[in-house]
Amino acid sequence: MGIVHNAVYCEDGRKLAPENLEVTYELLRDRHGMGWIGLYRPSRREIDSIADEFSLHPLAIEDTVSAHQRPKMERYGAVLFTVLRPASYVAAEDRIELGELHVFTGPDFVVTVRHAESPDIATIRRRMEADPDLLALGPEAVPYAILDHVVDEYEPVVDGPEVSIDEIESAAFAEDSGVSRRIYALSRELAGFQRATRRFWPCSRG
């Protein structure tokens, strides 16, 4: 799908919607403000264009292209690279659905790269646009708002399996033959969630 959001937020409060990345780059040079580019499973060509314009570090770009990263924060010069693992609980399937989001935060830009459906960046963006004071804080306010949203969505993921465990216990006393399989599947989902979210560390490179 590539580019799903492309906007420049000007210092006077206006929001511009450039028709392509080249126009976004020109507007940021001429009018300053903050650029916010949202990507969903982008092509290598789109990634390379953004990397060249904003001087993104090759190691961070390689992580973004290959995906399957653990949560982390790394600083490459003036750019902060953040990897988040959002999650949602699918109760009907006793399944935890893990996402992966990469965020590049620079002096005058934010680039978000989603490798899954979650989180809902559009909802986060609308909330920030409705709060001019928050948006006026600049690029570093965006990963803060995203992280707040992702952490809030962890609560039903933690609570959901507890409900399923209660159901499994009831089924066990009722001698349901599918209990063992359900216990095994749920334990694997919980283990995967723990692996995806337990490591998050800041460091600096370059």
Side-chain angles (χ1 to χ4, degrees), residues 115-190:
H115 290 279
E117 296 300 324
S118 62
D120 185 356
I121 298 294
T123 296
I124 300 169
R125 186 176 66 249
R126 286 192 295 268
R127 188 169 75 238
M128 293 194 67
E129 290 175 350
D131 187 348
D133 291 337
L134 180 59
L135 199 59
L137 294 175
E140 292 192 358
V142 177
Y144 170 83
I146 292 173
L147 182 58
D148 183 64
H149 180 87
V150 169
V151 171
D152 283 347
E153 289 194 330
Y154 280 168
E155 184 174 353
V157 175
V158 173
D159 292 343
E162 292 182 1
V163 175
S164 292
I165 289 169
D166 289 340
E167 294 173 354
I168 289 171
E169 288 176 346
S170 298
F173 284 111
E175 298 183 356
D176 187 330
S177 60
V179 168
S180 297
R181 178 182 55 78
R182 194 174 176 193
I183 291 172
Y184 175 72
L186 186 58
S187 65
R188 283 177 57 87
E189 293 294 326
L190 289 170

Side-chain angles (χ1 to χ4, degrees), residues 24-90:
T24 300
Y25 304 153
E26 292 176 7
L27 287 172
L28 286 175
R29 296 188 198 107
D30 296 341
R31 304 197 182 191
H32 307 292
M34 178 184 78
W36 186 345
I37 301 170
L39 306 173
Y40 175 67
R41 294 177 177 168
S43 67
R44 184 62 195 244
R45 178 175 156 285
E46 290 165 335
I47 286 287
D48 287 344
S49 171
I50 291 171
D52 290 343
E53 176 65 24
F54 297 129
S55 301
L56 303 182
H57 198 281
L59 290 177
I61 292 301
E62 188 58 37
D63 283 350
T64 294
V65 171
S66 59
H68 304 296
Q69 302 297 311
R70 290 190 180 277
K72 62 181 177 179
M73 295 178 70
E74 295 179 332
R75 183 168 289 281
Y76 297 92
V79 177
L80 179 66
F81 175 55
T82 307
V83 177
L84 298 173
R85 298 301 305 272
S88 59
Y89 181 62
V90 184

